[in-house]
């Protein structure tokens, strides 16, 4: 499980994963975005995905999904969040500078 920005990388090796953002869940099977569902349908989509994988296997579960549509929807959400929050929503650049200061013993900032 992860956010819509980092979720694809976090789900890359998982048989089944979900990334949430913008009140929607992005369902992944083996790192492929296979569905984008409303927030209130996320649990059901996970259960359905798990059952499909169990019965048919991961490749069949991916093959039956409209991955092109799911990837388009995921890109819309990701782009919107990046536009709202910027490329560095977690202020990583500032945190890296602060960590460098602390490691060098300069605690003044």
């Amino acid at each position: 499980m992860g956010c819509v920005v980092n979720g694809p990388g976090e789900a890359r090796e998982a048989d089944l994963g979900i990334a949430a953002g913008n009140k929607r869940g992005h369902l992944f099977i083996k790192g492929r975005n296979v569905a984008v569902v409303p927030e209130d349908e996320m649990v059901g989509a996970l259960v359905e995905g798990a059952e499909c994988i169990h019965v048919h296997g991961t490749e069949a579960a991916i093959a039956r999904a409209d991955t092109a549509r799911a990837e388009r929807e995921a890109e819309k959400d990701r782009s919107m969040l990046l536009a709202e929050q910027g490329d560095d929503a977690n202020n990583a650049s500032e945190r890296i500078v602060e960590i460098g200061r602390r490691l060098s013993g300069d605690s003044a900032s």
Side-chain angles (χ1 to χ4, degrees):
M1 295 180 72
C3 71
V4 72
V5 174
N6 296 324
E10 295 166 349
R12 192 171 326 280
E13 298 301 321
D15 287 338
L16 180 66
I18 196 156
N22 194 30
K23 304 222 181 276
R24 300 189 324 162
H26 300 254
L27 187 67
F28 292 89
I29 297 176
K30 285 291 186 186
R32 293 287 310 270
N33 193 329
V34 297
V36 178
V37 297
E39 187 174 56
D40 62 343
E41 296 176 18
M42 290 191 307
V43 173
L46 275 169
V47 170
E48 184 178 319
E51 289 171 346
C52 184
I53 290 169
H54 178 71
V55 173
H56 304 287
T58 55
E59 294 305 317
I62 293 169
R64 67 188 288 191
D66 186 350
T67 56
R69 180 173 184 248
E71 289 169 4
R72 281 193 309 272
E73 291 298 311
E75 185 54 35
K76 284 184 203 175
D77 283 353
R78 185 178 185 280
S79 295
M80 186 192 71
L81 286 169
L82 287 172
E84 284 178 7
Q85 299 175 1
D87 290 338
D88 191 11
N90 294 319
N91 298 317
S93 297
E94 290 177 24
R95 290 179 186 200
I96 290 169
V97 169
E98 180 61 27
I99 290 168
R101 284 186 186 132
R102 290 180 186 205
L103 289 173
S104 70
D106 178 12
S107 61
S109 50

